[in-house]
Amino acid sequence: MVEFYNPTWDDIEEQIFRIAKEMAKDNFLPDAIVAILTGGVIPAKLFADILNMKNIKYIDIKFYRDVGKTESKPVIKAVYVNDLDNKKVLVVDDVSDTGETLEAVTNVVSMFSPKVIRTATLYVKPWSRKIPDYYGDKVGKWIIFPWDKWDVVRTNPDAPVAKKEKYFELHNIFSRMRG
Ligand code: 5GP
Ligand code: MG
Ligand code: MG
């Protein structure tokens, strides 16, 4: 039985503030943010607004697995990155679990010759091999983010997710349309 943790939107904002404070303390102002698709996109946008910058790039990477299960290695699907030469880069994701995703993404980013790469995730699992430079809390549960809950409940219909009946009703209509 997987244990779940459901951060509220308010919890998410607290992690963002906490991490941004640490970055301010370090005098670290990135020139660019690389958001890991898709979980890193909303945190990246929140950081960009706090840092007063708009320069967000994206890397699409997939780790094929179900909740609580892990397989081999993540696969880079697409790299929407340019102009990082000699720049300070912050790589952002929602959570680091094994650390494989952050490692693969920082390897790709380093090919663009940045001056500095730092990593930030809202949460990190206590067993992660790669501890991000910045993170909010350590959580040893499966985290259900506000932006990820339908994805979690699709593969785990018993997961504690509000309004899942509405989700399934609509999801099933579109699944039938797809045929
Ligand atoms: P890692 O490569 O560090 O094992 O896993 C990182 C990726 O797996 C994240 O980008 C995220 O999409 C997904 N992931 C890992 N742990 C969790 C979790 O507890 N909750 C959710 N929603 N996604 C997770
Ligand atoms: Mg995900
Ligand atoms: Mg992800």
Side-chain angles (χ1 to χ4, degrees), residues 13-173:
E13 288 182 352
E14 287 305 321
Q15 306 303 327
I16 297 275
F17 290 144
R18 192 186 289 185
I19 292 167
K21 256 187 212 161
E22 286 298 311
M23 287 170 43
K25 229 195 277 172
D26 286 354
N27 205 22
F28 178 65
L29 174 61
D31 305 301
I33 290 177
V34 173
I36 299 178
L37 290 168
T38 51
V41 171
I42 290 166
K45 162 69 171 154
L46 297 173
F47 281 126
D49 287 342
I50 286 183
L51 304 173
N52 190 25
M53 51 104 89
K54 296 193 183 300
N55 193 15
I56 308 180
K57 322 285 187 188
Y58 303 89
I59 291 184
D60 191 0
I61 178 166
K62 292 275 177 307
F63 212 155
Y64 292 101
R65 64 183 168 194
D66 289 329
V67 169
K69 279 189 248 162
T70 308
E71 311 173 356
S72 56
K73 291 268 170 193
V75 178
I76 303 272
K77 295 289 178 182
V79 178
Y80 307 103
V81 168
N82 65 338
D83 196 24
L84 296 184
D85 193 41
N86 211 29
K87 299 272 169 65
K88 287 182 277 175
V89 178
L90 182 68
V91 172
V92 172
D93 205 353
D94 46 5
V95 49
S96 183
D97 187 326
T98 62
E100 298 278 358
T101 298
L102 276 186
E103 185 168 296
V105 167
T106 51
N107 285 341
V108 170
V109 169
S110 69
M111 293 173 193
F112 290 81
S113 313
K115 182 160 64 188
V116 179
I117 306 173
R118 291 193 188 172
T119 54
T121 63
L122 304 183
Y123 298 96
V124 63
K125 303 292 172 75
W127 49 79
S128 185
R129 273 199 310 112
K130 182 162 166 84
I131 301 297
D133 296 297
Y134 300 101
Y135 63 90
D137 277 318
K138 281 194 178 169
V139 174
K141 296 180 181 172
W142 192 264
I143 303 162
I144 304 179
F145 292 97
W147 49 82
D148 202 35
K149 57 199 237 182
W150 305 140
D151 200 13
V152 174
V153 85
R154 186 172 43 80
T155 44
N156 291 262
D158 296 331
V161 165
K163 292 187 247 179
K164 60 183 164 190
E165 297 74 18
K166 277 189 188 170
Y167 161 77
F168 277 120
E169 192 186 319
L170 288 161
H171 179 84
N172 291 339
I173 290 171

